[in-house]
Amino acid sequence: MAATKKQTKPFDLSADNLQQRIVHHLRSTLGTHENKANDKAWWNATCSAINELVFEKLTDTQASHSKQDTRAVNYLSLEFLMGRLLSNNLHNLELFGEAEQALKALGKDIYQVCEEEPDMALGNGGLGRLAACYIDSLATLGYPAIGYGIHYEHGLFRQEFKDGHQIERPDSWREYGNPWEICRPESVQEVPLYGYVESVFEDDGSMRKVWHAGRKLKGVPWDIPIVGYGAKLVNVLRLWESKPGEAFDWDVFNAGGYVDAQSEKAQAETVSKVLYPNDSTEQGKELRLIQQYFFCACSVKDILRRFKRANGNNWDVFADKVAIQLNDTHPAISVPELMRILIDEEGLTWAKAWDVCRHTFAYTNHTLLPEALENWSVSLFERVLPRHLEIIYEINRRFLETEVEAKWPGDDEMKRKLSIIKEDGGRMVRMAYLSVVSSYKVNGVAAIHTRLVKKDLFPEFNELYLEKIVNVTNGVTPRRWLKAANPELSALYDKTVGTGWPTQLNLLKDALPKAKDKKFQKEFMAIKHDNKLRLVKEIKALTGVDVSADAIFDIQIKRLHEYKRQQLNLLHILTLYRRLLANPELDMVPRVFIFGAKAAPGYHMAKQIIYAINKVADKVNNDPRIQDKLKVVFMPNYRVSLAEKLIPAADVSEQISTAGLEASGTGNMKLALNGALTIGTLDGANIEIAEEVGDDNIFIFGLNVDQVESIKRQGYNPYDYYYGNAELKAVLDWLDSDFFTPGHPGELSDIKRSLLEWGDQYLCLADYQGYCDAHARIDVAYRDTAKWAEMAIINSACMGKFNSDRSIQDYVDTIWHLKACPLG
Ligand code: GL7
């Protein structure tokens, strides 16, 4: 066993003491009593008891940081997919055991109490969850940091299925309040919008710009304390809620326009009303631009307020104290906002203001998908943010006339190509170009992704700005994704490698010598089996389907998108089903294919794929001929808390995107960490996972990035595969029949069309045979239980690299240059 020194706990609190605190809050905060409290009240009381401890550390942290005043990072993100906080906070405070005991003494099961917490689903998928993992790691490593985002009233929609179709229902995570957040009315900010810009000439001949806003919103901050593991400090996530500005509605109100005033109020409140449910697609809607500007304006002003409190107007030190990370281009409008304030309100010269910005902002690119790159129409910008458009023009003019001209003298074509303003096909502001030009560092999120960002997305910028584009491979927090989600496996690691692994995930490697040890294999796989048994119950409860924990649990959980290729998974399922119908005695290890995925409400093909999987599931699960060898379940309402139940129970992890399109993926890391074997393409972080676990312990198939490029260059024809592969042809043709939708032939035909007539943009047919072959290898491998156990252990033990603490340390070393300031 590795030697790990016993660390002191953040709070020396007995279970008895915690019990008293919970009861105290039950009575005095919630006004109820042990005899009549329901689980929701117990959850609330437990949160309040914990909050008391957290707030104490929060105050200490804030005092200590303002005293030390070192550089802090401000992580600006339109999304923070936090999930539930109670269990995580208990683990990070190292009080989970005490709380479990305290609640038990009160007749309550802690897991059931934790189930009462609604997910904070203020994000769509990987990008938002990454932000949540990163603020956990920042706090754990003791770095001064603040997360800035939007306090959406409704997070990502709740998904239901009706006759197999996805139905969206509103999510109301804080309908009756939320115990974790604190409103900070003392830090309210005002946000101007619309209106016009006036040029004011001063007596000394100089000229000043004044933006006369047509409307004003108020941003109200809600703070959520972020407890790092071991509670070395408590940072905050500050989320802005929009309200009507003070000034405008009173006149209407006093003139008897009470109802009109109400409608203005409602309009102002729509800004933070709901999260846009698109993952990787840009919408170009006015409200979305206003959301972006709203939270950036509030955050930049808040950053400036804190800076000035400590440093006055000493702008020379601004970038020494402040780093602003743009989580994708969504917060890029904060660049012209900071320029505007520095120039128009603080009186700095352009050169000085630009120098400040260029040492402050850094930008993370999360996708190469063209439909995700944000371009705003110039006319919309001009109407909503007239002064910002002027500033962007000036940034662009100087960039083209000095930097581009110096590098490519006289090359007008290059200027057109690199212009922040796209001129052809409607004038647009390219937010990615604005971000690259304004930032001192730009990063991709996995090695291959960064290579493609340099080569395909920003090749000229990469030539112009040597060393600006760097890689920081994504990571996930092992506190949530192993310690809290998989308590049994955590306990096995505690006893095998010591208890230091939650902050030093590389320690899991110390378990590698045991990968071949029969006893260890048994323990490891018994835990997997227990987790599968728990999932069996959950599947039954949520879908009514009976599955056996002895089958292979093959899991694909992620947003529904054609590039992620859930439809390829479906083609393979249909292939197995056909083979079983042809030969019910077929020798195969029973398989349960499990899906979890939400589709953007306006994304037709994604919704079709959900429908098709549900229809196939209906048929397969009720077909006695196949003797339970095949089951298909689509878990409704996939979200963080459901992921925490699915991931520990997975045998196989599906990571099958078209090579070059999944920037990184992070579910791939969580699943492998919990002992699932990956079936995947050489895409995103899969490549780095394969490097860590070794080629023998992962099922790689399909075209790689270079092959995808070359096949596309040559002219891809899906019909070649259709006519060249009888099994593939048969399953595609099956979709045209009414076999899965009795009486309604053609209901699933769009999937076939997209894969043939519409060109199979994501090369499913090209990868089909390789994918089926890889699944056949899995079937063989699973039968050798000792070998499978060994591979599962190797996967889990080799995930050290994909710890978000490592990612954050990379950001600190190469981009932010922060100093850790843990509480003494
Ligand atoms: C994403 C990528 O698609 C995903 O591969 C990556 O892991 C994640 C975090 O970096 O970012 N980009 C993106 O726009 N969304 C993602 O999840 C929505």
Side-chain angles (χ1 to χ4, degrees):
M1 188 202 283
T4 41
K5 64 175 191 298
K6 182 82 199 97
Q7 290 177 336
T8 50
K9 290 179 150 213
F11 289 98
D12 185 19
L13 211 69
S14 69
D16 272 355
N17 184 318
L18 193 52
Q19 184 182 336
Q20 284 163 24
R21 286 167 184 254
I22 295 171
V23 170
H24 164 77
H25 281 286
L26 193 72
R27 295 183 188 177
S28 61
T29 309
L30 294 156
T32 181
H33 192 272
E34 296 93 292
N35 298 334
K36 58 176 189 182
N38 59 13
D39 280 354
K40 188 69 137 207
W42 283 111
W43 166 71
N44 241 309
T46 311
C47 294
S48 300
I50 296 307
N51 263 339
E52 226 173 355
L53 307 173
V54 172
F55 292 163
E56 204 181 294
K57 292 252 178 204
L58 175 63
T59 317
D60 294 350
T61 306
Q62 290 180 338
S64 143
H65 284 179
S66 48
K67 206 162 95 207
Q68 301 189 45
D69 193 32
T70 69
R71 196 176 204 219
V73 65
N74 299 274
Y75 198 87
L76 267 58
S77 179
L78 206 49
E79 304 191 2
F80 285 92
L81 190 43
M82 301 296 288
R84 293 172 175 158
L85 301 186
L86 176 56
S87 132
N88 210 246
N89 283 348
L90 284 171
H91 280 292
N92 283 1
L93 293 164
E94 295 176 75
L95 284 174
F96 191 87
E98 287 76 1
E100 185 170 17
Q101 246 181 295
L103 285 166
K104 192 163 175 216
L106 293 160
K108 294 280 129 196
D109 172 59
I110 192 164
Y111 292 98
Q112 227 168 312
V113 168
C114 288
E115 280 295 307
E116 291 296 321
E117 180 163 354
D119 275 40
M120 240 178 119
L122 309 187
N124 275 285
L127 177 149
R129 182 55 231 175
L130 188 78
C133 284
Y134 281 0
I135 55 176
D136 176 275
S137 281
L138 277 162
T140 298
L141 295 173
Y143 289 116
I146 173 160
Y148 281 109
I150 295 184
H151 190 265
Y152 299 106
E153 187 178 330
H154 303 285
L156 186 61
F157 65 85
R158 189 158 53 76
Q159 178 194 55
E160 288 176 8
F161 294 138
K162 192 158 175 259
D163 301 326
H165 291 288
Q166 168 177 295
I167 307 285
E168 300 91 27
R169 302 259 179 240
D171 157 72
S172 304
W173 65 281
R174 58 186 306 283
E175 199 173 2
Y176 306 111
N178 178 298
W180 301 113
E181 51 186 23
I182 318 159
C183 189
R184 300 282 194 202
E186 69 276 19
S187 301
V188 159
Q189 296 294 352
E190 200 174 68
V191 180
L193 285 169
Y194 303 104
Y196 64 96
V197 180
E198 185 191 5
S199 301
V200 178
F201 293 91
E202 306 288 5
D203 294 342
D204 64 2
S206 65
M207 193 255 282
R208 191 160 65 75
K209 296 281 190 158
V210 180
W211 177 20
H212 297 281
R215 220 175 119 188
K216 282 186 179 140
L217 300 175
K218 195 166 78 180
V220 180
W222 292 86
D223 284 358
I224 299 180
I226 305 299
V227 185
Y229 185 71
K232 286 199 216 71
L233 55 69
V234 175
N235 282 328
V236 296
L237 170 60
R238 176 160 280 192
L239 301 177
W240 300 98
E241 180 189 16
S242 67
K243 295 266 191 193
E246 302 292 359
F248 73 94
D249 55 349
W250 287 107
D251 294 344
V252 188
F253 188 88
N254 290 336
Y258 174 73
V259 173
D260 294 341
Q262 289 304 311
S263 93
E264 283 226 31
K265 176 171 180 289
Q267 263 185 39
E269 287 170 1
T270 55
V271 174
S272 60
K273 197 49 119 202
V274 44
L275 166 79
Y276 273 96
N278 296 307
D279 180 88
S280 318
T281 36
E282 182 257 326
Q283 274 231 315
K285 292 269 165 58
E286 178 165 334
L287 179 59
R288 167 98 175 174
L289 178 62
I290 294 176
Q291 282 190 338
Q292 295 183 348
Y293 177 62
F294 165 72
F295 103 91
C296 289
C298 291
S299 307
V300 166
K301 284 185 180 163
D302 203 49
I303 292 166
L304 286 166
R305 177 186 59 80
R306 284 188 287 117
F307 172 79
K308 285 186 143 193
R309 197 171 55 197
N311 303 280
N313 282 1
N314 186 5
W315 302 107
D316 288 339
V317 301
F318 188 82
D320 300 336
K321 305 289 181 189
V322 179
I324 301 180
Q325 189 67 29
L326 306 175
N327 196 27
D328 216 290
T329 56
H330 318 149
I333 190 65
S334 45
V335 173
E337 174 66 1
L338 183 56
M339 287 295 284
R340 182 186 75 80
I341 296 178
L342 293 180
I343 295 169
D344 296 356
E345 295 179 8
E346 299 295 337
L348 268 63
T349 62
W350 180 279
K352 181 70 202 165
W354 185 238
D355 186 62
V356 167
C357 282
R358 271 232 173 146
H359 289 92
T360 299
F361 289 100
Y363 152 57
T364 306
N365 173 281
H366 291 272
T367 182
L368 301 168
L369 293 186
E371 65 267 35
L373 296 176
E374 291 193 301
N375 292 323
W376 292 106
S377 90
V378 165
S379 59
L380 174 63
F381 232 106
E382 194 156 30
R383 200 154 50 76
V384 180
L385 300 169
R387 178 63 183 131
H388 296 77
L389 184 64
E390 286 185 354
I391 291 171
I392 291 170
Y393 281 156
E394 183 62 11
I395 292 174
N396 194 38
R397 187 186 68 75
R398 289 173 183 243
F399 163 64
L400 296 176
E401 287 179 9
T402 57
E403 297 180 90
V404 178
E405 177 58 27
K407 176 91 186 167
W408 294 283
D411 189 341
D412 287 346
E413 173 56 21
M414 191 58 89
K415 293 199 182 85
R416 194 190 57 76
K417 209 166 171 189
L418 296 191
S419 173
I420 295 170
I421 308 297
K422 183 171 84 71
E423 300 285 349
D424 44 320
R427 300 186 77 221
M428 295 278 192
V429 184
R430 295 165 163 149
M431 300 307 269
Y433 287 12
L434 174 64
S435 304
V436 176
V437 170
S438 317
S439 297
Y440 66 92
K441 286 282 175 197
V442 173
N443 75 285
V445 292
I448 179 88
H449 171 65
T450 301
R451 178 161 82 77
L452 297 174
V453 166
K454 290 184 186 178
K455 184 170 85 68
D456 299 335
L457 194 61
F458 304 135
E460 298 83 7
F461 288 109
N462 190 43
E463 233 183 284
L464 183 60
Y465 301 127
L466 299 174
E467 314 204 341
K468 190 186 270 203
I469 304 179
V470 297
N471 177 246
V472 180
T473 297
N474 283 345
V476 303
T477 169
R479 274 76 65 178
R480 179 175 294 264
W481 297 109
L482 183 54
K483 192 168 172 66
N486 199 341
E488 283 187 64
L489 185 54
S490 300
L492 178 63
Y493 274 130
D494 284 350
K495 115 180 156 187
T496 312
V497 305
T499 54
W501 61 265
T503 50
Q504 288 166 278
L505 200 62
N506 282 322
L507 286 176
L508 297 190
K509 277 225 164 95
D510 291 352
L512 280 179
K514 294 206 163 187
K516 281 185 191 296
D517 175 319
K518 289 281 167 289
K519 181 166 165 277
F520 189 74
Q521 290 181 348
K522 272 219 170 83
E523 280 182 276
F524 192 94
M525 293 315 286
I527 291 166
K528 181 61 77 184
H529 198 76
D530 284 351
N531 292 332
K532 287 167 79 174
L533 285 173
R534 273 187 281 272
L535 186 58
V536 166
K537 287 197 193 131
E538 199 71 27
I539 290 173
K540 179 72 180 169
L542 290 178
T543 68
V545 179
D546 288 301
V547 300
S548 160
D550 295 327
I552 299 175
F553 279 18
D554 184 314
I555 301 193
Q556 188 170 18
I557 40 176
K558 46 185 80 253
R559 281 299 288 253
L560 216 135
H561 200 293
E562 286 166 281
Y563 86 79
K564 296 178 187 279
R565 300 201 295 191
Q566 281 94 350
Q567 69 277 35
L568 177 60
N569 190 338
L570 181 64
L571 292 183
H572 171 249
I573 292 170
L574 291 172
T575 305
L576 291 180
Y577 187 29
R578 258 190 94 252
R579 289 181 193 164
L580 279 167
L581 290 181
N583 172 19
E585 299 314 313
L586 183 79
D587 180 25
M588 68 171 269
V589 182
R591 266 289 179 126
V592 184
F593 290 94
I594 302 167
F595 293 86
K598 288 178 181 176
Y603 187 172
H604 170 74
M605 268 316 297
K607 288 183 134 179
Q608 283 290 117
I609 294 168
I610 291 181
Y611 181 62
I613 295 171
N614 276 326
K615 286 290 146 185
V616 171
D618 270 357
K619 197 81 187 175
V620 166
N621 297 337
N622 298 301
D623 192 334
R625 293 173 292 181
I626 60 171
Q627 307 164 47
D628 290 345
K629 284 184 188 163
L630 192 57
K631 294 270 171 166
V632 181
V633 287
F634 208 127
M635 302 290 273
N637 202 29
Y638 179 60
R639 62 200 186 283
V640 171
S641 60
L642 187 54
E644 288 165 7
K645 298 180 177 128
L646 289 160
I647 288 169
D651 294 308
V652 174
S653 157
E654 298 269 354
Q655 308 300 337
I656 60 177
S657 50
T658 319
L661 295 183
E662 189 68 273
S664 161
T666 44
N668 46 3
M669 303 167 184
K670 297 165 196 168
L671 282 151
L673 178 61
N674 283 274
L677 271 61
T678 304
I679 179 167
T681 45
L682 286 173
D683 196 18
N686 296 353
I687 297 176
E688 289 160 79
I689 290 176
E691 280 166 14
E692 294 298 303
V693 306
D695 292 343
D696 294 342
N697 299 304
I698 186 163
F699 299 90
I700 296 292
F701 72 94
L703 301 168
N704 63 25
V705 168
D706 296 338
Q707 291 165 330
V708 165
E709 247 178 49
S710 100
I711 211 171
K712 289 229 163 186
R713 218 177 316 112
Q714 286 159 24
Y716 172 63
N717 185 3
Y719 285 96
D720 293 347
Y721 298 90
Y722 176 72
Y723 288 115
N725 186 328
E727 222 175 6
L728 173 59
K729 180 170 185 305
V731 296
L732 284 168
D733 292 346
W734 215 359
L735 293 169
D736 280 334
S737 74
D738 77 340
F739 187 81
F740 299 103
T741 54
H744 303 276
E747 275 196 348
L748 308 184
S749 292
D750 271 0
I751 295 178
K752 180 179 171 191
R753 277 185 209 115
S754 80
L755 297 174
L756 288 168
E757 290 164 50
W758 302 337
D760 187 18
Q761 203 190 332
Y762 300 104
L763 307 179
C764 287
L765 302 199
D767 276 346
Y768 166 82
Q769 194 56 53
Y771 181 56
C772 291
D773 296 346
H775 269 301
R777 300 204 303 271
I778 288 176
D779 182 275
V780 173
Y782 196 79
R783 293 165 199 246
D784 185 344
T785 47
K787 183 70 193 159
W788 185 275
E790 184 190 338
M791 292 196 291
I793 293 163
I794 290 172
N795 266 269
S796 174
C798 290
M799 283 304 104
K801 174 175 174 183
F802 305 103
N803 171 6
S804 47
D805 297 349
R806 190 272 311 147
S807 309
I808 287 300
Q809 196 55 50
D810 283 357
Y811 275 100
V812 167
D813 294 342
T814 60
I815 303 178
W816 299 332
H817 308 294
L818 309 175
K819 199 173 116 235
C821 301
L823 289 173

